[in-house]
Amino acid sequence: MGPPPYPDLGKRAKDVFNKGYHFGLLKLDCKTKTSGGVQFNTGGTSNQESGKVHGSLETKYTVKEYGITFTEKWTTENTLGTEVSIQDQILKGLKLGGQISFCPQTGYKSAKLISAFQNARVAMNFDIDLDQNGPNILGSAVVAHQGWLAGYQAGFDANQSKLTKSNFALGFATNEFVLHTSVEDGQTFGGSIYQKLSPKLETGINLAWSAGSHNTKFGIGAKFDLDADAAVRAKVDNACQVGLGYQQRLREGVTLTLSALIDGKNFNNGGHKVGLALELEA
């Protein structure tokens, strides 16, 4: 296994805090695959607080012998998106592709060129966003050596000729332990620790500090597998926000997730959020 792309650094700790929680939402996801290899991903969410409903339909087809993948997506905001990519054909580990999105109601159009390369030592990404305001370039690289991971990400606005992102990350990863630290634009400092204490128990610690506001954020989370079909999750941060989650596989391809966010500082005043998600796969 090579190093992950820059956005995936510290992902295992992020999953402990983010996966399995759908606060204030009613969510439905459905994944199916035809005998011809076409994948359909349909999803919808309803925000209980705002009442807004969002839905999407995505189709994906891969021509394995040529390494080409076609993806099309439509959302309830009436946005149409198409992506074409080719992988491992020109060079092993190299992915090239392009994305186009269009909103007929507003006439907004955007295009994006994407490229990525990954092997046992390095993971590189280079994207060019060709929107109406001018091209934006985003590049990153992650190198690995004996478990150590070092990465850098930079963004550049060609229209204004200025650097929009300058992020650095350093960490150490094994199969059961991940340490991740990062600096974003020299202003936000973050760190996380992931540890798999047993085959059933995963834990995570997250820390962030902003130089501009001097705000510190701290959180602890855990996931425990009750058995092969059920898991419970819990997390708490320094603002006394307590998150609880329960996930149950009802049958093959059907998973139900219940979650709740409790405001510990204002427990008697209400304002707590609950969420429900149903995932179907066939």
Side-chain angles (χ1 to χ4, degrees):
M1 291 291 292
Y6 189 92
D8 289 343
L9 290 173
K11 183 178 182 299
R12 299 180 75 178
K14 294 176 186 176
D15 288 346
V16 172
F17 285 94
N18 299 328
K19 271 194 172 182
Y21 298 106
H22 310 282
F23 305 131
L25 299 176
L26 298 177
K27 185 176 181 180
L28 174 65
D29 284 330
C30 181
K31 298 179 181 180
T32 60
K33 187 174 182 179
T34 67
S35 58
V38 181
Q39 300 179 37
F40 292 90
N41 297 329
T42 308
T45 60
S46 174
N47 191 306
Q48 300 177 48
E49 188 173 353
S50 65
K52 292 183 177 181
V53 177
H54 171 80
S56 65
L57 171 63
E58 180 182 276
T59 61
K60 181 183 291 188
Y61 179 70
T62 300
V63 184
K64 294 183 179 180
E65 55 267 31
Y66 297 107
I68 301 176
T69 301
F70 300 91
T71 305
E72 294 186 356
K73 188 173 183 179
W74 172 85
T75 69
T76 49
E77 284 80 16
N78 204 23
T79 299
L80 307 173
T82 301
E83 177 181 339
V84 180
S85 64
I86 181 170
Q87 187 167 2
D88 296 332
Q89 296 301 303
I90 302 174
L91 180 67
K92 183 68 175 179
L94 177 64
K95 178 181 178 181
L96 300 173
Q99 299 174 351
I100 299 175
S101 61
F102 174 62
C103 183
Q105 289 181 334
T106 63
Y108 177 80
K109 302 180 291 290
S110 68
K112 192 177 193 179
L113 301 177
I114 59 175
S115 61
F117 176 75
Q118 186 176 20
N119 61 19
R121 293 292 184 182
V122 65
M124 296 185 294
N125 294 79
F126 187 79
D127 303 337
I128 302 177
D129 195 346
L130 304 172
D131 64 15
Q132 297 177 347
N133 299 321
N136 290 289
I137 301 171
L138 182 64
S140 65
V142 179
V143 295
H145 179 67
Q146 295 182 353
W148 289 95
L149 298 170
Y152 179 72
Q153 182 186 59
F156 182 75
D157 188 337
N159 187 40
Q160 301 183 19
S161 298
K162 70 174 185 179
L163 201 65
T164 57
K165 284 185 179 182
S166 182
N167 306 329
F168 177 77
L170 180 67
F172 180 80
T174 66
N175 291 333
E176 298 180 349
F177 176 83
V178 179
L179 171 66
H180 172 67
T181 60
S182 64
V183 181
E184 297 182 2
D185 299 322
Q187 295 292 317
T188 303
F189 302 83
S192 65
I193 297 175
Y194 166 87
Q195 189 169 10
K196 191 169 186 177
L197 299 177
S198 72
K200 292 187 175 183
L201 179 61
E202 301 175 63
T203 61
I205 299 174
N206 194 25
L207 177 67
W209 179 74
S210 177
S213 61
H214 299 286
N215 288 334
T216 300
K217 297 180 180 180
F218 178 78
I220 300 176
K223 175 195 172 188
F224 182 76
D225 294 328
L226 299 174
D227 52 41
D229 297 325
V232 292
R233 293 176 169 87
K235 62 179 180 179
V236 61
D237 60 20
N238 60 322
C240 292
Q241 298 287 314
V242 180
L244 302 172
Y246 175 76
Q247 191 172 59
Q248 176 70 54
R249 187 171 67 171
L250 303 178
R251 54 177 295 182
E252 187 67 31
V254 181
T255 303
L256 176 68
T257 303
L258 304 173
S259 56
L261 180 65
I262 301 171
D263 188 350
K265 287 185 177 180
N266 303 286
F267 185 82
N268 295 326
N269 296 332
H272 314 301
K273 297 180 180 181
V274 296
L276 182 148
L278 182 63
E279 299 174 36
L280 306 175
E281 185 171 357

